[in-house]
Amino acid sequence: MAGSMPKRQNSFQTLADTALTASIGLVNQHKGNRMNLKYIAALIGSLSVATVSAAGLDAFQQKVDQIAEQHGVAAPDVKKEISGSAKQTAPQATAKKATPDVSPIERIVAIDADVIRAIQAKDGKVMYLVDNGRFAFVGKMIDVWNRKELSTLDDIASAISHIDLARMGFKLENVNHISIGKGDKHVTVFVDPQCGWCHKLIGELNANPDLLDKYAFDFVVVPVLGERSTQLAKKLYCAKTDDQSAKYAAFVGGAMNIDRLEQNDDCDLTNFEGTRITAQAIGVRGVPMIIAPDGRFQRGKPQVLRDFLEPKADSKSEVAKK
């Protein structure tokens, strides 16, 4: 069966506290590395952009400052990280020119909407319609993650169907994962040990071993199906063996095989706990979710795995039109 992530909490402070708790272990693990705190600051920006208040940011900044001081690292400026005004590379600075400067947040009103549709008129102008049909708005749409303006339907279609893991700061070594395959192109798949559709996807992969020669498959284990899934995911994470093939075989074999994995007595759970936070930041709402090497993603098992990984040119253009 497919699994769903728990609904994200609306409280900015709760999210901040959760992420900061995970960040303490990261800082301990990599002392002197400013990027750990910087990553947490950017992560909170992506998680809670709809619920941030000026007071919430100030409180969060104080906690970041305290943790940075405790561990002897320089604290990032949270507001700059979220607004994208921190020091940038030349390509980032060029992209930033397309986006307006972010003024300090004064007030936020939440609009209850499940879907917002982008509609392009014959003259090329784009407007946005809330799913209840009552509210429409015009103006610029900004891809906050990639810091660029989306001015056409093709831009929007591409943005909502792609995830740039590298640009988001995703690092495989910081999450609970199993990696197999010999290829240079990485396919990222979010899975749960008890997810039936995840196992069907893996079964299809095993039936096409040539895909393992062409790609590297990184399975990120996110327990979303209850306490038993959490136990199994933790056993995979804390397994004494570093042999990825052995972990993969245990995952494929199911709960009994995972239970047989010999465990480390002293297992640092920092990255295990941080895996769910990372998945939420990326937008994982259920499993399986698969991200192709070019950033295209699909929620749920693709009808045909090979066709998803190697789409024909005409199917790519069809996706852009939707």
Side-chain angles (χ1 to χ4, degrees):
M1 60 182 167
S4 298
M5 292 285 287
K7 285 190 176 180
R8 197 164 59 210
Q9 300 180 52
N10 290 327
S11 167
F12 170 79
Q13 198 57 54
T14 300
L15 285 168
D17 290 343
T18 303
L20 278 170
T21 299
S23 75
I24 293 173
L26 287 173
V27 176
N28 280 330
Q29 192 173 355
H30 304 284
K31 282 191 178 288
N33 186 351
R34 178 179 183 272
M35 289 305 296
N36 290 313
L37 282 171
K38 181 177 178 181
Y39 169 71
I40 294 298
L43 174 61
I44 289 297
S46 67
L47 277 171
S48 54
V49 67
T51 56
V52 174
S53 67
L57 281 177
D58 290 340
F60 182 48
Q61 181 69 65
Q62 290 178 2
K63 291 195 174 187
V64 171
D65 291 343
Q66 290 172 2
I67 291 176
E69 183 177 358
Q70 290 171 7
H71 297 281
V73 297
D77 186 319
V78 174
K79 291 181 181 179
K80 286 185 178 181
E81 297 298 342
I82 291 177
S83 66
S85 59
K87 184 177 181 180
Q88 301 168 322
T89 62
Q92 288 175 324
T94 300
K96 182 71 167 61
K97 291 179 180 178
T99 65
D101 290 331
V102 179
S103 176
I105 297 171
E106 185 176 272
R107 185 185 178 196
I108 291 176
V109 175
I111 299 175
D112 187 14
D114 292 324
V115 177
I116 297 176
R117 292 177 173 84
I119 302 171
Q120 182 171 301
K122 288 185 177 181
D123 62 2
K125 293 182 178 179
V126 178
M127 77 169 185
Y128 307 93
L129 183 68
V130 177
D131 58 359
N132 63 11
R134 179 180 177 185
F135 302 110
F137 56 95
V138 295
K140 291 183 178 181
M141 176 177 281
I142 306 298
D143 182 341
V144 178
W145 287 1
N146 292 309
R147 298 175 185 171
K148 67 179 182 179
E149 180 181 346
L150 307 177
S151 56
T152 68
L153 281 193
D154 285 345
D155 291 342
I156 296 170
S158 177
I160 65 175
S161 61
H162 290 73
I163 295 176
D164 188 338
L165 291 175
R167 193 176 185 98
M168 291 189 67
F170 175 82
K171 294 185 182 299
L172 192 62
E173 62 268 23
N174 291 341
V175 296
N176 186 15
H177 73 280
I178 301 170
S179 296
I180 60 166
K182 304 174 183 176
D184 294 329
K185 297 180 179 179
H186 284 256
V187 181
T188 305
V189 191
F190 293 85
V191 296
D192 180 291
Q194 298 191 105
C195 163
W197 284 106
C198 300
H199 282 280
K200 286 183 179 181
L201 187 152
I202 289 174
E204 184 177 347
L205 173 60
N206 290 339
N208 294 272
D210 63 300
L211 292 177
L212 293 171
D213 293 327
K214 299 174 67 175
Y215 302 96
F217 287 81
D218 302 317
F219 293 96
V220 180
V221 185
V222 186
V224 299
L225 295 175
E227 182 59 30
R228 179 58 171 153
S229 287
T230 300
Q231 293 172 358
L232 294 171
K234 190 176 295 184
K235 288 189 175 185
L236 286 164
Y237 180 80
C238 292
K240 186 168 288 188
T241 180
D242 290 326
D243 187 339
Q244 296 293 291
S245 296
K247 286 188 175 184
Y248 180 69
F251 187 97
V252 173
M256 291 182 62
N257 293 70
I258 296 174
D259 283 333
R260 293 191 187 105
L261 289 171
E262 189 176 357
Q263 299 290 289
N264 281 314
D265 295 329
D266 185 17
C267 181
D268 181 359
L269 295 176
T270 299
N271 290 337
F272 175 79
E273 300 294 346
T275 299
R276 191 190 296 274
I277 296 173
T278 300
Q280 288 180 333
I282 290 171
V284 179
R285 298 197 292 266
V287 291
M289 176 171 162
I290 180 170
I291 305 176
D294 62 1
R296 289 176 300 105
F297 71 92
Q298 179 165 325
R299 305 183 194 279
K301 179 188 175 300
Q303 187 171 3
V304 179
L305 178 59
R306 188 185 301 275
D307 290 348
F308 171 74
L309 295 175
E310 302 168 358
K312 297 178 181 178
D314 55 349
S315 65
K316 280 188 177 181
S317 61
E318 285 300 315
V319 170
K321 290 178 183 178
K322 292 181 180 179

